[in-house]
Amino acid sequence: MELHDVWFVLIAVLWTGYFFLEGFDFGVGVLTRLLARDRAEKRVLINTIGPVWDGNEVWLLTAGGATFAAFPEWYATLFSGFYLPLLVILLCLIVRGVAFEYRVKRPEERWQRNWETAIFWTSLIPAFLWGVAFGNIVHGVKIDRDLEYVGTVWDLLNPYALLGGLVTLTLFTFHGTVFTALKTVGEIRERARTLALRVGLVAAVLALAFLLWTQADNGDGKSLVALVVAVAALVVALAANQAGREGWAFALSGVTIVAAVAMLFLTLFPNVMPSTLDADWSLTVTNASSSPYTLKIMTWLAVIATPVVLAYQGWTYWVFRKRIGTQHIAEAAH
């Protein structure tokens, strides 16, 4: 296996990790409107992800940085062609981070309610747009002989990509719902389990349609295995949720995300951005990669740094592993 193939796999792992981790905290952000009935319950939801949301975003920064260094042509074409949706995602992530930090800076109800509204929308919009972006990456876009995107933003809003956006939105919301059931106690935990069934059924239907479409377009035996694993894991996650096994439900919803993302990258390889104008103009792991020397240096850096990052992030989750409920929220605290 060549180094550019290795880095394609590593970037796929980074995006998978990002969607697994950021997926549930996007979902929890959406639940601040769908599940919480009062201010105390909103605070419970936000507190479940408060210690970890910023660490989850490290995976996005690393995935973007790795793409820039390992596949500069891919990075250039992707970020220039998808400029508007990626800018919207970036602005949402900035506002979302500010909302988490500033929501408790003042005690006024209106102040906190406005920031909570910001958390909801800046969780929902990226959860949808990431699916649209990856749907276009896998399905292919208008790339010319100079390896540049020549389409418009409206070309990105095609049926396949929009379906992909609905899949990520509903799947992340389901992931966040089972995470909420895992991390809370009391009435909110029971309502989270009930809502998880409803959202999960919608996500299952949408995901099955999207993955079958993907398989029909570019699939092979490996991607078919990933499809079966994703669908089976989601079905078992729904059953585990109904049985009150929140840990298993969360783990299996994570397996669904991992398998679905793996399927997308399996159908994509050896391309990194297919061209719908001419297959010969597609960006591949070969024509979009950096020099072998650059990839070699990056590999050594990854070997040294990755275990450290995984260790401190794992420690964070261990420290904040306990369940919380409204009884843990002080009424006068701000």
Side-chain angles (χ1 to χ4, degrees):
M1 180 180 287
E2 300 290 337
L3 277 179
H4 50 67
D5 297 330
V6 172
W7 273 98
F8 179 86
V9 174
L10 291 177
I11 288 171
V13 170
L14 290 171
W15 280 111
T16 302
Y18 173 67
F19 287 142
F20 179 93
L21 296 172
E22 189 87 306
F24 73 74
D25 71 46
F26 279 150
V28 172
V30 173
L31 293 179
T32 57
R33 280 285 186 89
L34 300 183
L35 183 64
R37 289 181 174 174
D38 53 35
R39 304 299 310 290
E41 290 189 350
K42 286 184 179 181
R43 291 176 62 188
V44 168
L45 290 174
I46 293 172
N47 285 356
T48 62
I49 58 174
V52 299
W53 69 266
D54 49 354
N56 294 344
E57 292 186 356
V58 170
W59 289 77
L60 172 62
L61 298 176
T62 308
T67 304
F68 170 77
F71 299 100
E73 288 286 353
W74 184 12
Y75 182 92
T77 303
L78 175 64
F79 278 77
S80 60
F82 293 20
Y83 180 81
L84 183 58
L86 292 178
L87 176 62
V88 172
I89 290 174
L90 177 61
L91 291 175
C92 284
L93 294 181
I94 292 172
V95 173
R96 189 169 182 263
V98 173
F100 280 126
E101 298 298 332
Y102 274 73
R103 184 185 63 87
V104 294
K105 297 300 183 182
R106 290 171 56 178
E108 292 88 347
E109 181 178 348
R110 181 178 179 183
W111 170 273
Q112 295 191 3
R113 185 173 63 249
N114 288 340
W115 285 120
E116 288 162 359
T117 300
I119 290 172
F120 169 77
W121 286 110
T122 56
S123 298
L124 184 149
I125 293 171
F128 175 75
L129 289 181
W130 278 127
V132 173
F134 269 82
N136 279 290
I137 291 173
V138 173
H139 193 61
V141 292
K142 294 179 179 179
I143 298 175
D144 64 10
R145 66 173 68 249
D146 297 321
L147 306 183
E148 295 181 357
Y149 178 72
V150 293
T152 67
V153 68
W154 302 112
D155 293 323
L156 303 178
L157 302 178
N158 56 79
Y160 177 83
L162 292 175
L163 178 58
L166 292 175
V167 169
T168 52
L169 175 58
T170 55
L171 200 55
F172 290 171
T173 304
F174 172 70
H175 198 38
T177 309
V178 293
F179 177 78
T180 299
L182 177 65
K183 287 288 293 179
T184 58
V185 295
E187 185 183 351
I188 192 171
R189 175 188 176 190
E190 299 302 321
R191 281 190 278 113
R193 286 172 51 193
T194 301
L195 182 60
L197 176 62
R198 299 172 184 171
V199 176
L201 290 173
V202 175
V205 173
L206 293 173
L208 181 60
F210 179 73
L211 295 179
L212 287 174
W213 191 343
T214 304
Q215 180 67 22
D217 276 354
N218 303 301
D220 58 13
K222 294 179 181 178
S223 62
L224 181 60
V225 171
L227 185 157
V228 172
V229 171
V231 174
L234 184 52
V235 171
V236 180
L238 288 168
N241 173 73
Q242 286 300 100
R245 304 297 296 273
E246 292 98 344
W248 280 106
F250 177 71
L252 288 164
S253 69
V255 171
T256 301
I257 293 174
V258 170
V261 177
M263 180 185 177
L264 295 183
F265 277 96
L266 285 170
T267 58
L268 186 61
F269 185 81
N271 295 319
V272 292
M273 282 188 75
S275 173
T276 56
L277 300 179
D278 190 323
D280 292 335
W281 299 344
S282 296
L283 289 168
T284 68
V285 294
T286 303
N287 65 18
S289 69
S290 294
S291 66
Y293 182 69
T294 300
L295 295 178
K296 184 176 181 180
I297 293 175
M298 289 176 59
T299 303
W300 280 110
L301 291 174
V303 168
I304 296 170
T306 301
V308 177
V309 174
L310 293 176
Y312 81 68
Q313 192 162 25
W315 177 80
T316 302
Y317 277 93
W318 175 256
V319 170
F320 295 100
R321 67 189 181 278
K322 292 184 179 179
R323 296 176 182 264
I324 62 173
T326 53
Q327 67 269 31
H328 300 117
I329 303 296
E331 290 185 6
H334 69 86

